[in-house]
Amino acid sequence: MTGQELSAFLSRHRITLIVGILVILFAAMGFFGYEKYQRHQTEKAAVLYSELVDTMVQGQTSTARASADTLIHQYAHTPYATMAQFFLARMDMESKQVPAAEKSLKAVIGNPNAPRGMHSLARLNLARLYVDQHQAHKALDILQNPQPAYVTVADEIKGDAYASLNQISQAEKAYQSAMAALPAADPYRTYLQMKIANIGVAP
């Protein structure tokens, strides 16, 4: 293409070219602007989460609850919102607000953006809640196929669930399975042995 042909081409298509360049520029500006906004949101959520932890330590539960609610509703796409759900569940469990605690834990389990480990922790906490509420069958249902990292805890809670159902052999089997996953010198084995003794099984 000669210089004259190039000039003619640019002249004929100058509007299309200008529009195309503007689209690319606006797209780039939008991307980097959104990325900056997301980073800013995460930083604000981190500060608020730190305040939540501090107020929890100080026993200021009403302030902590308000911070958790803000994280969940205004910073839902940050990991801090998921952690705030755990704090709410803990506060509700301690204050015997079982339906509210169950709702918070189920929110974590049902959140597709939450890390898989968070899903597992929420399931374990929910199973423990069900055992404490004498709903052992629900606990056993939710403990199916735990992640390998959480098998020991899951087996222990299964043992507690079976014990509450007076299914002694199943409870012992679950406790023994939990013990088998621990190193021989792990002091937690003693705690599990006490649980086995408490259901009437000789060591």
Side-chain angles (χ1 to χ4, degrees):
M1 182 180 289
T2 65
Q4 286 185 333
E5 290 173 335
L6 178 60
S7 297
F9 175 83
L10 293 174
S11 178
R12 286 196 306 272
H13 300 283
R14 63 183 182 279
I15 300 299
T16 302
L17 291 171
I18 291 171
V19 170
I21 292 169
L22 288 175
V23 167
I24 294 171
L25 285 174
F26 282 126
M29 289 171 62
F31 172 79
F32 290 112
Y34 180 73
E35 186 180 36
K36 182 178 179 181
Y37 169 78
Q38 288 289 84
R39 185 168 62 251
H40 183 59
Q41 288 291 91
T42 301
E43 290 171 354
K44 289 171 67 177
V47 172
L48 190 57
Y49 181 76
S50 178
E51 293 174 359
L52 164 60
V53 174
D54 289 342
T55 52
M56 278 286 292
V57 171
Q58 296 167 13
Q60 301 174 17
T61 54
S62 58
T63 304
R65 185 177 291 278
S67 297
D69 285 334
T70 301
L71 282 168
I72 291 166
H73 294 103
Q74 296 186 22
Y75 302 95
H77 296 294
T78 71
Y80 299 101
T82 301
M83 291 186 284
Q85 292 279 17
F86 278 107
F87 270 98
L88 274 184
R90 176 184 170 185
M91 286 186 281
D92 288 330
M93 290 169 72
E94 289 177 351
S95 60
K96 309 299 181 184
Q97 299 181 45
V98 175
E102 182 181 13
K103 180 180 178 181
S104 293
L105 293 171
K106 283 186 173 181
V108 176
I109 295 170
N111 180 1
N113 297 316
R116 190 180 174 192
M118 289 287 191
H119 287 159
S120 295
L121 287 173
R123 287 180 180 277
L124 293 173
N125 278 275
L126 186 56
R128 171 60 63 197
L129 178 65
Y130 285 147
V131 171
D132 292 343
Q133 295 302 309
H134 309 291
Q135 300 180 58
H137 290 295
K138 281 188 175 183
L140 292 170
D141 286 342
I142 206 169
L143 289 170
Q144 299 299 317
N145 303 316
Q147 280 187 271
Y150 302 99
V151 166
T152 300
V153 179
D155 282 338
E156 180 193 349
I157 300 173
K158 284 180 183 178
D160 294 343
Y162 283 124
S164 72
L165 294 170
N166 204 34
Q167 297 181 18
I168 304 304
S169 62
Q170 289 291 87
E172 181 192 6
K173 182 179 178 181
Y175 290 140
Q176 292 287 3
S177 178
M179 288 178 59
L182 295 172
D186 195 314
Y188 202 73
R189 292 173 64 91
T190 302
Y191 177 67
L192 291 171
Q193 287 171 343
M194 290 174 56
K195 287 197 170 188
I196 293 174
N198 287 337
I199 60 175
V201 178

